[in-house]
Amino acid sequence: MRAVPPAGGATPVPPWTAAQRVSLTAAFRAGRLPHALLIHEAPGAGGEWLATWAAQLVLCQKSAQAPCGACAACRRVWAQQHPDLSWLRTAEDSQQIRIEQVRDLAADLALTSHAGGYKVGIVTPAEALNRFAANALLKTLEEPPPRTLLVLVTTQPSRLPPTVLSRCQRLPVGAPARAEGVAWLTALRGAGDWNAALDVLGEAPMLAARAEPLELAQIAADARGTLDALASGSADPVAAAERWARAELPLRLRCFENWLTEHVRRRERDGTFLTELRAAPYLSAGDAFLNIRELFGLLDEVRDFRATLDVPLNRGLALEALFRRLAPAQRAP
Ligand SMILES: [Zn+2]
């Protein structure tokens, strides 16, 4: 996917974050803003956008209208060039946020603010903190310097230590309704088949914002073609797995999940769903593609595989094993 610059000053406000913005503003104005927030976002729902907005809220120069979005401080926050805002992300060559990075952040937060106000640190994705880094962060969470705001952004809070979780105030950001997501994408990027893009990506407008709808449609069509061919026995699982492992694997796996879900839905429409569910252990699956239990089983495995893509493993081999399950020769006669 083409990388589109992250949200800039002209980015339309995602309307589905309204409640979160109202509660943060109220807390800030009342002097009750917690020093640590944990934004728990649905994937692609705008957690980083909201973290950036929260940084603007406390760093804006026009405190009565904060965040105004227009003052020099607000613009620097968007450009990720504000001296009182630090971002902690995974390094290019790593899937983790390391202890040295957390120590640098802690040292930075301990310094006096350049503007005489808040210091802000945004950690994203927070589940990338390794064990040592999370421990180091705990020290800052336990004894934060005054006027500090730490914002952790995560889609998987269960992967963070309970000690870290318990010191952050949670702010959930759910996925928007389809129409809301499409309207926002159209305002941001102009007309396009955003509906189809969200069909592939799920209700994740922030992911779609960085994609090309046409390119996405091509990858989806290609993935569907490969899966149909594998299921009819006319494609080679080894070659297909090698091709998928080379590029856009997370996206192709999403397409795999969608493809399996469609097959499940088709069974529901056919009315074979319950019959098969009851009879599945005794049913031959040879006639009508995988039976319903096999479909669900495979769907779980594809999801698990996608969730563990950051773990080093032989992706080609793992994919090949999944593909072989589709091949007619592998199924019961
Ligand atoms: Zn401002």
Side-chain angles (χ1 to χ4, degrees), residues 56 59-63 65-75:
Q56 282 187 323
L59 294 172
C60 178
Q61 292 160 332
K62 297 183 178 168
S63 53
Q65 306 137 37
C68 73
C71 71
C74 282
R75 280 184 281 124

Side-chain angles (χ1 to χ4, degrees), residues 120-200:
V120 185
I122 299 177
V123 184
T124 179
E127 70 270 16
L129 288 162
N130 70 24
R131 191 157 51 92
F132 307 106
N135 265 332
L137 189 67
L138 200 54
K139 287 194 189 118
T140 306
L141 289 171
E142 280 166 346
E143 291 168 34
R147 305 249 265 173
T148 296
L149 177 64
L150 264 172
V151 188
L152 280 63
V153 182
T154 182
T155 54
Q156 296 167 286
S158 60
R159 287 174 66 180
L160 286 163
T163 44
V164 167
L165 293 177
S166 69
R167 281 168 179 85
C168 300
Q169 183 173 314
R170 280 213 203 192
L171 199 60
V173 180
R178 173 60 64 95
E180 230 171 10
V182 167
W184 182 81
L185 283 161
T186 307
L188 178 72
R189 296 271 312 273
D193 197 348
W194 297 112
N195 220 357
L198 293 179
D199 276 345
V200 176

